Amino acid sequence: MSYHHSQMMFSQPMPRQSMAEADAYTGKSAETRHLKPGEISTGTTIMAVQFDGGVILCADSRVSTGAYVANRASDKIAQLHDHIWCCRSGSAADTQALTDYVRHYLAQLAVETGRPPEVKVAAHLMRRLCYENKDNLMAGVIVGGWDPVSGGSVYSIPLGGACIPLPFAIGGSGSTFIYGLVDAEFRENMTKDEALALVKKAVSHAMARDGSSGGIIRTLVATEEGNEKDYVSGNQLPYGPAGW
Amino acid sequence: MASSGSGYDLSSSTFSPDGRIFQIEYAAKAVENAGTALGLRCRDGVVLAVEKPLQNKMLVAKTTGRRIHTVDEHAGVAMTGFVSDGRQIVNRAREEASSYNETYGTKIPPQTLASRLSAYIHYFTLHGALRPFGCSTLVAAYDPATSKHSLHMVEPSGVSYEYFGAAAGRGRQPARTEMEKLAINPKTAGGTGEGGPDDNLITVAEGVKQLAKIIYTLHDESKDKPFELEMSWLCEGTEWKHAGVPRDVMEEAVTWAKKEIEEADEEESEEEDEEMEE
């Protein structure tokens, strides 16, 4: 047991961000110890970046249950409203449920006020849900989008339910490997192409080092004009085995 | 003038044969007999004014029996009619504004606040043992998301509209006539300069004076009780926060108003003299 534990410390590069460790499922596998039986996790890399004109959201596509990749091409970027999106990390079930609630409340609000909701409002709703139910959730979310009041904005909502407005945000298990890279390379008011290049590079690097991240890179560009969804397939990543 | 309900006016859940609900009309009557409340949407803000009749000489005026209340930083409400009913509406408005902010993280838009109050007031016109509110409510608010200020009025029936100038209470008819003379309608004021359609409208400073003048003009010394004037504004000058108009500004406005009224009276009596000479 002790040998197994020390192996976990070196081969699992980061401690779990689980807040529920005390009553976590104590199964055999180290990877699934924090999950409920059979639950799948989006051990993940997600990122959102403000640029001149809007916001870019980016995510890997691996969904894992322990060492088994349940879905290698999932879409972790969910739409909350016309120009508001969010990246999901943590428990897939929890983040899907949260996304559904926020989408519902935003739609109601848009009908009542007769105007597109602000990204700030979407982030606030998400954060209220994450905070009030923090004991039962494991969800790290990045909300990003465009609205006529503030233009492009990014809000990071980590475990526990804080809501932090930022020029760029990264999240998920893979994000720990790229803090330095993104801190060094991010600049304010980049062009769309510069920002796209940055997110793809950063997420590629994370996917190369994090076992729970992989697959393809999905990107979403949200501007006043509309949304552009795109992806980079696994053999064309800017950095990784194919790119060496 | 009083129409006979003849049996169809006992409950607010009864229509009359000609399609009226008399209880709601009677509620409106309660407002019509009360002190005048005015609201004016100006270029750089909104002004509210209420004529507060002083019931008796023992009253501590100026601080008690307020008819204008702050609902949220960016919104204020003036009421006339049954003031106790009005207090209920103010409390509800505060709850709506506060819960909206808690849920959505932004200030409640003026239109939304007005329509929530509408729905609340309307509820009392058709539910069981409840009676309609005997109070009209003027809502002045600013929307940070669109940078627009607006004035709404909600009546006892629950209808609410957005206004350039709104009047409720005893002197509302003549007040409306006077307000129409002011430059408060962007369409007729003819402004499409650099500032946009609001360009040629009067400012709140001017609005304060004009409302004071209207209230003093309407007040009949012989018939009505002595009164106190209560005013508030929500404007660029207060950084879009609802606040009472400072005493010195009000005093200046009242002095100006009284002078204007005197001069107008002198002119009238001069004209009369001229006619008589013929």
Side-chain angles (χ1 to χ4, degrees), chain A residues 109-133:
Chain A
L109 183 65
V111 168
E112 182 177 14
T113 57
R115 61 175 78 154
E118 298 175 52
V119 182
K120 175 175 82 162
V121 170
H124 185 92
L125 282 166
M126 182 67 82
R127 156 291 202 107
R128 281 288 307 274
L129 289 167
C130 289
Y131 178 75
E132 315 262 328
N133 298 292

Short mmCIF file of all heavy atoms in Angstrom, two decimals, chain A residues 109-133:
data_model
loop_
_atom_site.label_atom_id
_atom_site.label_comp_id
_atom_site.label_asym_id
_atom_site.label_seq_id
_atom_site.Cartn_x
_atom_site.Cartn_y
_atom_site.Cartn_z
N LEU A 109 -34.16 34.96 -18.72
CA LEU A 109 -33.80 36.36 -18.49
C LEU A 109 -33.86 37.15 -19.79
O LEU A 109 -34.34 38.28 -19.83
CB LEU A 109 -32.39 36.44 -17.90
CG LEU A 109 -31.92 37.84 -17.54
CD1 LEU A 109 -32.74 38.43 -16.43
CD2 LEU A 109 -30.45 37.83 -17.16
N ALA A 110 -33.37 36.56 -20.87
CA ALA A 110 -33.38 37.24 -22.16
C ALA A 110 -34.81 37.57 -22.58
O ALA A 110 -35.07 38.64 -23.12
CB ALA A 110 -32.71 36.39 -23.22
N VAL A 111 -35.73 36.66 -22.30
CA VAL A 111 -37.13 36.91 -22.64
C VAL A 111 -37.70 38.02 -21.76
O VAL A 111 -38.41 38.90 -22.24
CB VAL A 111 -37.96 35.62 -22.50
CG1 VAL A 111 -39.44 35.93 -22.57
CG2 VAL A 111 -37.59 34.64 -23.59
N GLU A 112 -37.37 38.00 -20.47
CA GLU A 112 -37.96 39.00 -19.57
C GLU A 112 -37.41 40.40 -19.85
O GLU A 112 -38.15 41.38 -19.88
CB GLU A 112 -37.70 38.65 -18.11
CG GLU A 112 -38.36 39.67 -17.18
CD GLU A 112 -38.22 39.36 -15.69
OE1 GLU A 112 -37.39 38.51 -15.32
OE2 GLU A 112 -38.94 40.01 -14.92
N THR A 113 -36.10 40.50 -20.06
CA THR A 113 -35.53 41.84 -20.24
C THR A 113 -35.52 42.28 -21.70
O THR A 113 -35.34 43.45 -21.99
CB THR A 113 -34.07 41.89 -19.73
OG1 THR A 113 -33.32 40.89 -20.41
CG2 THR A 113 -34.01 41.65 -18.25
N GLY A 114 -35.69 41.34 -22.64
CA GLY A 114 -35.73 41.71 -24.05
C GLY A 114 -34.37 42.08 -24.62
O GLY A 114 -34.28 42.74 -25.65
N ARG A 115 -33.30 41.68 -23.97
CA ARG A 115 -31.98 42.02 -24.52
C ARG A 115 -31.04 40.84 -24.28
O ARG A 115 -31.29 40.01 -23.40
CB ARG A 115 -31.43 43.27 -23.84
CG ARG A 115 -31.26 43.09 -22.34
CD ARG A 115 -30.62 44.26 -21.71
NE ARG A 115 -31.54 45.38 -21.53
CZ ARG A 115 -31.41 46.31 -20.60
NH1 ARG A 115 -30.41 46.27 -19.76
NH2 ARG A 115 -32.26 47.29 -20.52
N PRO A 116 -29.94 40.74 -25.05
CA PRO A 116 -29.01 39.63 -24.82
C PRO A 116 -28.37 39.76 -23.45
O PRO A 116 -27.96 40.84 -23.06
CB PRO A 116 -27.96 39.80 -25.93
CG PRO A 116 -28.12 41.18 -26.43
CD PRO A 116 -29.51 41.62 -26.15
N PRO A 117 -28.30 38.68 -22.69
CA PRO A 117 -27.69 38.76 -21.35
C PRO A 117 -26.19 39.02 -21.44
O PRO A 117 -25.55 38.68 -22.43
CB PRO A 117 -27.97 37.38 -20.73
CG PRO A 117 -28.36 36.49 -21.83
CD PRO A 117 -28.73 37.31 -23.01
N GLU A 118 -25.67 39.65 -20.38
CA GLU A 118 -24.24 39.92 -20.36
C GLU A 118 -23.48 38.67 -19.92
O GLU A 118 -24.01 37.83 -19.19
CB GLU A 118 -23.94 41.04 -19.36
CG GLU A 118 -24.58 42.36 -19.72
CD GLU A 118 -24.35 43.41 -18.63
OE1 GLU A 118 -23.19 43.62 -18.25
OE2 GLU A 118 -25.34 43.99 -18.18
N VAL A 119 -22.23 38.58 -20.36
CA VAL A 119 -21.38 37.45 -19.96
C VAL A 119 -21.24 37.44 -18.44
O VAL A 119 -21.24 36.38 -17.80
CB VAL A 119 -19.99 37.56 -20.62
CG1 VAL A 119 -19.13 36.36 -20.24
CG2 VAL A 119 -20.12 37.64 -22.12
N LYS A 120 -21.16 38.65 -17.87
CA LYS A 120 -21.04 38.78 -16.41
C LYS A 120 -22.20 38.09 -15.69
O LYS A 120 -22.04 37.48 -14.64
CB LYS A 120 -21.02 40.28 -16.10
CG LYS A 120 -21.01 40.64 -14.64
CD LYS A 120 -20.86 42.14 -14.45
CE LYS A 120 -22.19 42.86 -14.61
NZ LYS A 120 -22.19 44.20 -14.04
N VAL A 121 -23.39 38.21 -16.27
CA VAL A 121 -24.58 37.61 -15.66
C VAL A 121 -24.50 36.09 -15.74
O VAL A 121 -24.82 35.39 -14.78
CB VAL A 121 -25.85 38.14 -16.36
CG1 VAL A 121 -27.07 37.38 -15.92
CG2 VAL A 121 -26.02 39.62 -16.07
N ALA A 122 -24.08 35.58 -16.90
CA ALA A 122 -23.94 34.13 -17.06
C ALA A 122 -22.93 33.58 -16.05
O ALA A 122 -23.16 32.56 -15.41
CB ALA A 122 -23.48 33.80 -18.48
N ALA A 123 -21.82 34.31 -15.91
CA ALA A 123 -20.80 33.86 -14.96
C ALA A 123 -21.34 33.90 -13.53
O ALA A 123 -21.06 33.01 -12.73
CB ALA A 123 -19.56 34.75 -15.08
N HIS A 124 -22.13 34.93 -13.24
CA HIS A 124 -22.68 35.05 -11.89
C HIS A 124 -23.64 33.90 -11.58
O HIS A 124 -23.62 33.32 -10.49
CB HIS A 124 -23.40 36.39 -11.76
CG HIS A 124 -23.90 36.66 -10.38
ND1 HIS A 124 -23.18 37.35 -9.43
CD2 HIS A 124 -25.05 36.32 -9.76
CE1 HIS A 124 -23.85 37.43 -8.31
NE2 HIS A 124 -25.01 36.82 -8.49
N LEU A 125 -24.47 33.56 -12.55
CA LEU A 125 -25.40 32.44 -12.35
C LEU A 125 -24.63 31.15 -12.11
O LEU A 125 -24.94 30.38 -11.20
CB LEU A 125 -26.30 32.28 -13.58
CG LEU A 125 -27.45 33.27 -13.71
CD1 LEU A 125 -28.02 33.21 -15.11
CD2 LEU A 125 -28.53 32.97 -12.70
N MET A 126 -23.62 30.93 -12.94
CA MET A 126 -22.83 29.71 -12.82
C MET A 126 -22.17 29.66 -11.45
O MET A 126 -22.18 28.63 -10.77
CB MET A 126 -21.76 29.70 -13.93
CG MET A 126 -20.90 28.45 -13.96
SD MET A 126 -21.80 26.98 -14.42
CE MET A 126 -21.79 27.13 -16.21
N ARG A 127 -21.66 30.76 -11.04
CA ARG A 127 -20.96 30.80 -9.76
C ARG A 127 -21.90 30.59 -8.58
O ARG A 127 -21.57 29.92 -7.62
CB ARG A 127 -20.25 32.14 -9.69
CG ARG A 127 -19.90 32.74 -8.50
CD ARG A 127 -20.65 33.35 -7.43
NE ARG A 127 -19.74 34.24 -6.76
CZ ARG A 127 -19.79 35.56 -6.84
NH1 ARG A 127 -20.73 36.12 -7.52
NH2 ARG A 127 -18.89 36.29 -6.25
N ARG A 128 -23.10 31.15 -8.65
CA ARG A 128 -24.08 30.94 -7.58
C ARG A 128 -24.35 29.46 -7.42
O ARG A 128 -24.38 28.92 -6.31
CB ARG A 128 -25.40 31.66 -7.90
CG ARG A 128 -25.42 33.15 -7.64
CD ARG A 128 -25.46 33.51 -6.18
NE ARG A 128 -26.52 32.86 -5.44
CZ ARG A 128 -27.77 33.31 -5.33
NH1 ARG A 128 -28.14 34.40 -5.94
NH2 ARG A 128 -28.65 32.66 -4.61
N LEU A 129 -24.59 28.78 -8.57
CA LEU A 129 -24.87 27.35 -8.51
C LEU A 129 -23.68 26.58 -7.96
O LEU A 129 -23.84 25.68 -7.13
CB LEU A 129 -25.22 26.84 -9.92
CG LEU A 129 -26.57 27.29 -10.47
CD1 LEU A 129 -26.65 26.99 -11.96
CD2 LEU A 129 -27.71 26.59 -9.74
N CYS A 130 -22.47 26.93 -8.43
CA CYS A 130 -21.28 26.20 -7.97
C CYS A 130 -21.04 26.42 -6.49
O CYS A 130 -20.65 25.51 -5.76
CB CYS A 130 -20.05 26.64 -8.76
SG CYS A 130 -20.05 26.09 -10.46
N TYR A 131 -21.28 27.64 -6.03
CA TYR A 131 -21.00 27.95 -4.63
C TYR A 131 -22.02 27.33 -3.69
O TYR A 131 -21.68 26.74 -2.67
CB TYR A 131 -20.97 29.47 -4.45
CG TYR A 131 -20.75 29.90 -3.02
CD1 TYR A 131 -19.49 29.80 -2.44
CD2 TYR A 131 -21.80 30.40 -2.24
CE1 TYR A 131 -19.29 30.19 -1.13
CE2 TYR A 131 -21.59 30.78 -0.94
CZ TYR A 131 -20.34 30.67 -0.38
OH TYR A 131 -20.14 31.05 0.92
N GLU A 132 -23.30 27.49 -4.04
CA GLU A 132 -24.34 26.99 -3.13
C GLU A 132 -24.35 25.47 -3.05
O GLU A 132 -24.81 24.89 -2.07
CB GLU A 132 -25.72 27.45 -3.62
CG GLU A 132 -25.80 28.91 -4.03
CD GLU A 132 -26.34 29.82 -2.95
OE1 GLU A 132 -27.17 29.33 -2.17
OE2 GLU A 132 -25.93 30.98 -2.88
N ASN A 133 -23.85 24.81 -4.09
CA ASN A 133 -23.85 23.34 -4.09
C ASN A 133 -22.44 22.78 -4.04
O ASN A 133 -22.20 21.66 -4.51
CB ASN A 133 -24.55 22.83 -5.36
CG ASN A 133 -25.99 23.29 -5.40
OD1 ASN A 133 -26.80 22.85 -4.60
ND2 ASN A 133 -26.29 24.20 -6.30
#
